[in-house]
Amino acid sequence: MIKAESEAQERAIKQVSAMLQRPDQDKVEQYKRRVARKKASVEARLKAAVQSQLDGVKTGLYQMTEALNEVKQIKNHLVDVDDMYLSCGSLSDKMRDIKDISAQHRQLATAMENLKHIFGVPEEVAKARDLIKDGQLLQAHKVLTDLESSRDDLLYEQHRLDNQSESDIKQLQAYFSEAAALSDDLADSLWKVLSKTISIVRKDSASLVTVLRIVEREQRADMKMQEQESHSGFLPPGRPKRWREKSMETLKRAVEDRVESDVYDTREQDKMWLVRHLEILRRSVLDDLRVVKFLGVPCFPPVYNIFEQFVHWYHMALSNHLQSLISDGLEGNEIISLLTWLNQYTGPDLMGHVELASSLDTNKLPPLLDDSVSESLMQTYFETTHTNMLSWMSKSLEQDSADWMREEEPETDVDGYHRTSLPVILFQMIQQTMQVAKTISEALKQRVFGVCIEELNKFVRSYAEAIVSYKEEHFKDRELPHYYTLYMVAATNNCEAFADFALKLACLCSKSNIQIRFTLSCFEMTNVAHATCGYLLDEVFVDLKPHFDSIFQRSWLNDRTAVETICVTVEDYYSDYVHLKPQFFTWIMEQAERRVVVEYLRGALGRRIKLSNAADRLKAGEKLLQEQQMLSSLFGRLASSNVRSPCEALIPIAEVIKLQDKSMMPLELSGLVNKYNDASIEQMQALLAMRGDFSASEAKEVMLE
C-alpha cells in the first residue's frame, strides 16, 4: 500500500507539473474541482460494491440456515415413513380377498360387455355364412370380427389370472370353435375372388377392392395382436392369420394355373405345335400384364407392388413351364423355335412391350432358364452335330495318322513346307457349325464358340498323343516308317495352321473369355509343335549318342571323328528341317545347337578324364576351342540367329582347362561365373578335378575365393 501510494503521488506530481509548465495556465481551481469530482465518483462506486458483497453474504447465510432446517424436517419425515412401512407388513394378506373380488368383477364386466355375442354365437355364425353365400363379404367379416373380439377378451381375462383354469380356457375355445371355422370359410371365399383377379378386375373391381380391404384389416389385427403379445404374453388362437401372405400365394397359384391352362397338340398331331403354343403363351402373358398395370394397380395398396409381383410370378411360371417342356423332350426344329422365343422374350413383343416399358426394366429380369437347363437345351440341339463332329474329328485324326505311315512323302504347299489337309477340313466343319448357330441368335453363336474351343482343346491333346504314339512306334524300329522325319515336319507345320485358324475364330468371337481360350489353344498348339520338334531332335541325338559319349575321353584328345560326325549328321537332318515353317525351323536349330553344347558340357563336367600334365591340359583346351569354332560356324551357316550362340559357353570352359598359371584360376573362374551366373560350385569343382592339378582342399579354397 505504501508503494502504491508513493507511485500515485509521483504520477500526480508529473501530471500537475505538466499542467503548470506554461505561465498562462491559470486553471488550477478548475483542475482541483475536476479531480475532486473523479475522487468522489470512485469512492461512491467502491462503497456500492462493498455494500453489494455484504448483502450477498447475508442472503447466502440466511438460505443456508433455511436449508439446514428443511433437511432436518425431511429426516424426521423419512423416519416416519420407515415406521409406516414396518406397520404395513400384513397388508398384502388383508388385500388378497379384495384382489380376488376385483378379478371376478373384471371377468364379470367383460362377460357382460360380450353377453350378446356369448349367447348368440350359433346365430351369429349362421348369419355370417348366409352373408358369405350372398357375396356380402365385408358384412360377414364384421360379424366374424365381433365374435373373435368377444372370444379374445374373455381369454385375455383368463390369461391375466394368477391361477389360470385350463378347463375354463378349453371350454371357451370349444364354445367359440365355430368362429374359427367361419374364419376359414371366409378366407376360402376371399381366395376364390383373388384367384380370378384378371377376369374380375375387368368388370367388377369393387369386389376385388372389398377382398383387399378385409385382408388389410386382418393384417392390421395381426400386427396389433403381436404387439400385445410382446407386452402381455397373450396371443389369441389363430393369430397371426397372415392373410396378406396367403393372398399373395393365391395370386401366384392363379398365375401358374394360367400359364399351364393352354391345351396344346401333340407332335404327331401338328408338327408346329410348339410354335403355336409359344405364341398363345406370349399373347396371354402380355394381355394379363397390361390388365394388371392399367386396371389392377389402382385396386391394390401400394405396399403390394402388385405389377412387379405379377411380372415376377409370370416370369417364374414361364420358367417352370418351359423346363417342363424341355424335360418332356424336344427335337431339333422345336429347340430352334424355343431358343428363338427365348431371345424375343425381353423384346418389344412381350416383356419389352411399349405399354409395359415405363414400369418394367427388362434388364433386371433373371434368365428364364437356369444356366444348366440352357446348357442342356443347347447340348440337346447340338447333340447330333456335336457327336458327328467328335466322330469326324476322331476319324480324321485316324486317317491322318494312317497317312503318316505311307511310303511316299507328304504333300507340300506353294512355299515348299510339308503339311496335310487335316487343319483345313477340321476348321471348315467348325465354321459350318457356327453358321448354323448364328441363324438362331448371337448368344447361341457365342455358346457354340465355347463348344468348339472345348472340342478343339480335346483335339489338340489327341493330336499330341497321336504324335507321341507315332514317335514311340518309330523308335521300336527306326527303319519304319520310311518318311518318319518328313511327316513329323508336316505334323509340326499343321500346328501352325491350327493356331492360325483358332486366331481367326477368336476374332469372330465377341466374348473376351472365349477369345482368351482360343488364344490359349494357340499357345497349346505351339507347345505341341515344340514338343514335336523335340522328338525330331531325339532322332538326331540317338544317332550321335556314341560320339557325344566319346567327348573328353582319352581317345578324344587325338581324334576328330566325333565332332566331324556331329557336324555331318546335323547338316544331313538340316535338309529335312528346311521344310519346317520359319518359326519352327528357327526354334529347332536353336535347340539343336543348345543340346549339342549341353552334351559337351556334360562331358566336360562328368569327370570322364583326368589331365595329369600341363601338355594334356593345353591340348584339351585348344581342341575344345577348335570344335567350338566348328560348331559355331556350322550353326551360324545353317540358321542365322539374333541371339547369342550357346557355343560361346564352351570358350570359358576351354580357358579354364588350358590355364597354365594355377594362381590365376580364381580370376578365371570368376569371369566364368560372372558371365554364366547359374554355374554351381559342384560344376566348378568338376572342372578343376578334370585338370588333375588341384587337390580337393585346393579346389575348395579356390571356390571360397
Side-chain angles (χ1 to χ4, degrees):
M1 289 294 293
I2 295 174
K3 183 179 179 181
E5 184 177 358
S6 174
E7 291 177 352
Q9 288 178 354
E10 290 178 2
R11 286 196 299 271
I13 292 171
K14 290 180 181 179
Q15 187 175 3
V16 171
S17 64
M19 293 178 183
L20 302 177
Q21 283 182 355
R22 296 193 304 274
D24 58 346
Q25 291 178 333
D26 55 355
K27 298 180 180 180
V28 175
E29 291 298 327
Q30 184 179 352
Y31 290 147
K32 288 172 67 177
R33 289 195 297 271
R34 184 187 304 170
V35 172
R37 286 198 300 271
K38 288 176 65 177
K39 179 180 178 183
S41 175
V42 171
E43 288 177 347
R45 288 200 302 271
L46 181 60
K47 288 179 181 179
V50 172
Q51 185 63 39
S52 175
Q53 291 292 330
L54 291 174
D55 291 343
V57 171
K58 182 179 179 181
T59 302
L61 290 173
Y62 174 77
Q63 290 177 346
M64 290 177 65
T65 302
E66 290 295 319
L68 180 60
N69 294 332
E70 290 176 359
V71 168
K72 290 179 180 180
Q73 292 178 6
I74 292 172
K75 181 178 179 181
N76 295 331
H77 291 327
L78 288 175
V79 171
D80 295 339
V81 169
D82 289 340
D83 294 338
M84 292 172 63
Y85 272 120
L86 293 175
S87 64
C88 292
S90 59
L91 186 60
S92 61
D93 296 334
K94 297 177 181 178
M95 293 295 292
R96 181 173 294 111
D97 294 338
I98 298 177
K99 289 174 61 178
D100 294 341
I101 293 173
S102 176
Q104 292 175 6
H105 181 271
R106 188 171 57 250
Q107 291 178 8
L108 291 172
T110 303
M112 290 296 293
E113 290 175 4
N114 297 282
L115 195 60
K116 172 186 173 182
H117 299 297
I118 292 173
F119 286 106
V121 168
E123 291 78 7
E124 293 293 309
V125 170
K127 175 184 175 182
R129 286 201 168 103
D130 291 338
L131 291 171
I132 291 173
K133 289 178 182 178
D134 295 339
Q136 300 180 43
L137 302 180
L138 206 58
Q139 292 84 343
H141 182 254
K142 176 65 171 60
V143 175
L144 174 63
T145 302
D146 292 339
L147 289 172
E148 289 181 338
S149 178
S150 299
R151 179 199 62 189
D152 297 344
D153 289 344
L154 292 170
L155 290 174
Y156 179 64
E157 292 302 327
Q158 284 292 324
H159 174 77
R160 293 179 62 182
L161 292 176
D162 293 336
N163 299 318
Q164 298 179 10
S165 174
E166 291 294 331
S167 61
D168 290 347
I169 293 175
K170 291 180 180 179
Q171 185 177 2
L172 280 172
Q173 290 178 344
Y175 188 74
F176 283 95
S177 60
E178 284 299 313
L182 178 62
S183 177
D184 294 337
D185 293 342
L186 179 59
D188 291 339
S189 299
L190 300 181
W191 310 152
K192 287 179 183 178
V193 175
L194 286 175
S195 64
K196 301 175 183 177
T197 296
I198 298 298
S199 59
I200 288 178
V201 78
R202 295 174 186 262
K203 50 189 178 182
D204 185 18
S205 60
S207 60
L208 177 62
V209 172
T210 296
V211 170
L212 294 172
R213 288 177 63 188
I214 295 172
V215 170
E216 286 305 297
R217 287 180 181 179
E218 290 295 337
Q219 179 69 17
R220 289 192 292 271
D222 281 347
M223 296 172 62
K224 179 181 178 181
M225 293 303 176
Q226 287 175 319
E227 183 179 358
Q228 175 181 304
E229 181 189 18
S230 65
H231 297 306
S232 66
F234 173 74
L235 184 67
R239 292 287 179 185
K241 291 184 178 181
R242 297 189 174 90
W243 278 12
R244 183 190 285 178
E245 296 177 15
K246 293 178 181 178
S247 66
M248 300 295 278
E249 207 44 52
T250 300
L251 292 170
K252 179 182 177 183
R253 284 197 302 270
V255 169
E256 294 171 348
D257 293 340
R258 175 83 165 149
V259 171
E260 297 290 341
S261 63
D262 180 44
V263 179
Y264 44 85
D265 295 329
T266 62
R267 186 178 295 113
E268 291 73 19
Q269 294 172 327
D270 185 1
K271 295 295 183 183
M272 300 295 292
W273 69 273
L274 184 59
V275 175
R276 301 182 191 280
H277 176 57
L278 292 175
E279 177 60 18
I280 292 173
L281 280 179
R282 184 194 67 80
R283 278 192 253 172
S284 298
V285 173
L286 180 58
D287 289 345
D288 290 354
L289 290 179
R290 291 164 68 187
V291 168
V292 172
K293 179 179 179 181
F294 296 108
L295 299 179
V297 169
C299 298
F300 284 83
V303 70
Y304 280 65
N305 290 323
I306 198 62
F307 179 71
E308 291 77 4
Q309 288 291 343
F310 265 91
V311 170
H312 174 70
W313 291 331
Y314 269 108
H315 184 82
M316 299 308 298
L318 285 172
S319 176
N320 294 332
H321 181 65
L322 294 180
Q323 293 191 42
S324 176
L325 291 176
I326 294 170
S327 63
D328 291 340
L330 298 177
E331 297 180 354
N333 290 333
E334 296 169 354
I335 296 178
I336 295 176
S337 301
L338 179 56
L339 291 173
T340 303
W341 191 88
L342 289 171
N343 290 328
Q344 297 172 352
Y345 174 69
T346 56
D349 293 331
L350 189 47
M351 290 300 187
H353 193 274
V354 63
E355 293 184 5
L356 307 179
S358 61
S359 303
L360 175 59
D361 185 358
T362 57
N363 294 324
K364 294 182 179 180
L365 290 174
L368 266 179
L369 299 177
D370 293 338
D371 292 342
S372 59
V373 177
S374 299
E375 177 68 19
S376 175
L377 183 64
M378 192 161 45
Q379 289 296 337
T380 302
Y381 171 65
F382 282 104
E383 184 174 349
T384 302
T385 303
H386 194 187
T387 301
N388 292 340
M389 182 170 62
L390 290 176
S391 175
W392 191 89
M393 279 186 175
S394 178
K395 290 180 180 179
S396 298
L397 182 56
E398 289 178 4
Q399 181 60 47
D400 201 58
S401 301
D403 291 343
W404 297 346
M405 308 300 292
R406 291 188 303 178
E407 292 295 323
E408 58 184 55
E409 294 185 4
E411 59 187 73
T412 59
D413 60 15
V414 294
D415 297 319
Y417 301 121
H418 290 312
R419 63 176 176 84
T420 67
S421 59
L422 179 60
V424 176
I425 298 173
L426 175 66
F427 281 91
Q428 282 179 347
M429 184 270 295
I430 293 177
Q431 287 175 334
Q432 291 173 359
T433 303
M434 290 190 300
Q435 288 173 357
V436 173
K438 187 177 180 180
T439 60
I440 299 174
S441 72
E442 181 65 22
L444 189 57
K445 173 188 170 184
Q446 300 302 328
R447 181 64 176 166
V448 172
F449 268 116
V451 174
C452 291
I453 189 61
E454 179 182 348
E455 297 307 322
L456 180 60
N457 287 332
K458 293 180 181 178
F459 176 80
V460 170
R461 291 190 289 270
S462 298
Y463 195 67
E465 291 171 359
I467 292 174
V468 172
S469 299
Y470 183 55
K471 181 203 75 168
E472 291 175 349
E473 284 297 319
H474 170 69
F475 276 91
K476 291 177 182 178
D477 182 0
R478 296 184 60 209
E479 296 297 324
L480 297 175
H482 183 69
Y483 292 103
Y484 166 79
T485 301
L486 297 184
Y487 276 103
M488 290 291 275
V489 169
T492 304
N493 291 336
N494 283 349
C495 292
E496 183 180 80
F498 287 133
D500 290 342
F501 280 120
L503 287 175
K504 290 179 182 178
L505 292 176
C507 294
L508 297 176
C509 177
S510 61
K511 292 188 176 181
S512 59
N513 61 328
I514 297 181
Q515 290 179 340
I516 293 173
R517 292 168 65 189
F518 269 117
T519 305
L520 292 176
S521 295
C522 298
F523 288 136
E524 192 168 350
M525 288 304 311
T526 302
N527 292 336
V528 173
H530 288 167
T532 307
C533 290
Y535 303 150
L536 286 170
L537 291 178
D538 290 344
E539 177 88 352
V540 178
F541 282 82
V542 167
D543 291 340
L544 294 177
K545 187 176 186 308
H547 302 286
F548 284 125
D549 290 343
S550 68
I551 295 174
F552 286 101
Q553 300 285 0
R554 180 64 62 179
S555 58
W556 170 75
L557 292 174
N558 301 304
D559 190 359
R560 292 171 53 90
T561 303
V563 67
E564 291 174 351
T565 304
I566 291 170
C567 292
V568 171
T569 303
V570 170
E571 194 160 2
D572 180 49
Y573 278 96
Y574 162 81
S575 61
D576 294 330
Y577 296 164
V578 292
H579 297 289
L580 284 166
K581 289 295 183 71
Q583 61 165 322
F584 300 133
F585 173 76
T586 300
W587 190 88
I588 197 172
M589 294 307 296
E590 289 175 354
Q591 291 301 309
E593 183 178 5
R594 179 181 177 279
R595 288 178 65 168
V596 168
V597 173
V598 167
E599 291 296 334
Y600 267 86
L601 292 175
R602 183 176 287 115
L605 303 176
R607 307 192 185 214
R608 297 176 180 176
I609 186 176
K610 179 177 286 189
L611 304 172
S612 56
N613 54 67
D616 287 345
R617 289 192 288 273
L618 180 61
K619 187 174 183 179
E622 292 294 339
K623 181 171 178 57
L624 182 57
L625 287 175
Q626 292 173 5
E627 295 188 2
Q628 183 273 336
Q629 292 175 358
M630 292 177 64
L631 294 172
S632 180
S633 175
L634 171 69
F635 286 104
R637 176 169 51 85
L638 297 181
S640 59
S641 176
N642 295 327
V643 299
R644 187 174 67 181
S645 172
C647 291
E648 293 182 9
L650 299 178
I651 296 175
I653 299 295
E655 295 297 335
V656 170
I657 293 174
K658 71 175 186 175
L659 183 65
Q660 299 298 313
D661 186 355
K662 289 176 58 177
S663 64
M664 297 297 293
M665 185 58 68
L667 181 61
E668 195 70 36
L669 289 179
S670 296
L672 189 153
V673 172
N674 286 334
K675 194 172 185 181
Y676 301 98
N677 53 21
D678 58 339
S680 67
I681 291 178
E682 291 76 12
Q683 291 172 336
M684 300 301 97
Q685 289 177 334
L687 273 179
L688 296 181
M690 180 179 64
R691 283 178 55 91
D693 58 346
F694 281 88
S695 65
S697 59
E698 290 176 328
K700 183 176 181 181
E701 184 178 349
V702 170
M703 291 304 102
L704 291 175
E705 185 175 349

